[in-house]
Amino acid sequence: MSDIAFVLRMMCVSTVLALISLTASAADLRVVVSGGFAQAYKDLTPAYEQLSGDHLISGWGPSMGNTVNAIPARLARGEAIDVVIMVGDALDRLMAEGKLEPGSKVVLANSLIACAVRTGSPQPDIRTVEGLKSAFLNARKVAYSDSASGEYIKHRLMQILQIEAQMQGKAAQIPATPVGEIIAQGEADFGCQQHSELLPVKGITIVGLIPDQVQLTTPFAAAIVKGSLHAQEANRLLRFLSAPASAAAIRATGLAPVSTP
């Protein structure tokens, strides 16, 4: 992005904040973000802090699963959190359980699944369903996540491709660690995860999105945690992240922004 374009975008962001925060005071906001939206959040929030005066205390964890950092586990043990940003379906479950403020959900972006190999390795052609199937079968070791994309791959995609039996013993669901890092370290030679989670990882080459016929679109959404002492400031953050001025930064991380006026 050019310097002029960046300045113009930040002016738009500044206008958004000015309109929504005339009466709001600065606060320390505790935010936990799942991997698919993490890079977009990291790219956007320095400008947000500068313009709003709020200080963001950020944490990271999967939207589901049994790891200690998983967002449902954090809320279950009463960790002090103001905002969660996570896979939409998992957020809806927390909302139904009464863990989040009713009506506070904001959909931020949609995410697609991509696959990658270690940099320098042969790149399989996964543009067709048969090509994707061959990539799985020809790999020595396959990795996928323990969150939304991995659950889909494990429980649906393998079944659709009719390779469940063949992948036994060489396909592994990776808890906590990004799939791209497992590939970069040579622990797997092929792996799939949300495109936005693979994009920032060094040492891998993204070979493409999985075909439309077997693709899964995953929405990422944010909401305010029930009982937050900073609900007004949390709402300000949600409105900033979902504003049209934030769309370009979200798109640059491999997500499709869902902007609201």
Side-chain angles (χ1 to χ4, degrees):
M1 179 184 298
S2 70
D3 291 343
I4 293 175
F6 178 80
V7 169
L8 289 173
R9 185 164 67 82
M10 287 300 99
M11 287 173 64
C12 292
V13 171
S14 180
T15 301
V16 170
L17 287 173
L19 290 172
I20 66 178
S21 57
L22 290 174
T23 61
S25 57
D28 288 341
L29 283 180
R30 297 181 182 274
V31 185
V32 181
V33 187
S34 65
F37 198 79
Q39 191 60 49
Y41 174 87
K42 291 174 184 177
D43 290 347
L44 283 166
T45 50
Y48 173 80
E49 287 185 308
Q50 181 179 4
L51 293 165
S52 70
D54 292 338
H55 175 227
L56 301 179
I57 302 169
S58 305
W60 320 100
S63 300
M64 57 195 74
N66 299 315
T67 61
V68 67
N69 288 330
I71 293 173
R74 289 174 180 267
L75 293 178
R77 62 176 178 261
E79 190 171 322
I81 301 170
D82 297 295
V83 173
V84 294
I85 303 174
M86 58 194 295
V87 169
D89 290 349
L91 186 148
D92 290 341
R93 287 194 289 273
L94 293 176
M95 187 72 76
E97 292 170 5
K99 302 290 180 62
L100 308 175
E101 288 290 347
S104 68
K105 176 184 175 181
V106 178
V107 179
L108 301 174
N110 289 318
S111 179
L112 299 177
I113 300 171
C115 301
V117 297
R118 194 176 188 183
T119 299
S121 298
Q123 299 180 35
D125 185 349
I126 64 168
R127 290 175 295 178
T128 65
V129 173
E130 280 303 312
L132 178 65
K133 180 177 180 178
S134 296
F136 275 108
L137 292 175
N138 293 334
R140 173 186 55 84
K141 190 79 172 180
V142 173
Y144 48 88
S145 80
D146 67 342
S147 196
S149 61
E151 286 294 292
Y152 169 71
I153 291 167
K154 180 179 181 180
H155 297 294
R156 286 290 298 130
L157 183 60
M158 296 294 184
Q159 184 181 55
I160 293 169
L161 298 178
Q162 299 181 335
I163 57 173
E164 294 169 287
Q166 297 97 311
M167 298 308 295
Q168 289 292 326
K170 73 170 187 174
Q173 195 166 29
I174 309 299
T177 305
V179 168
E181 293 183 12
I182 298 297
I183 299 169
Q185 293 162 9
E187 297 176 36
D189 51 345
F190 183 73
C192 305
Q193 196 170 18
Q194 306 289 354
H195 185 212
S196 58
E197 295 186 70
L198 292 173
L199 205 56
V201 180
K202 306 297 183 184
I204 65 172
T205 298
I206 298 174
V207 297
L209 299 172
I210 67 173
D212 290 344
Q213 301 96 307
V214 294
Q215 181 61 261
L216 175 71
T217 299
T218 300
F220 279 86
I224 301 170
V225 176
K226 190 72 174 289
S228 168
L229 299 179
H230 305 291
Q232 183 179 11
E233 295 84 357
N235 183 60
R236 175 167 61 190
L237 173 63
L238 267 56
R239 292 182 67 182
F240 169 84
L241 293 173
S242 62
S246 298
I250 292 172
R251 189 176 294 106
T253 67
L255 296 167
V258 180
S259 301
T260 57

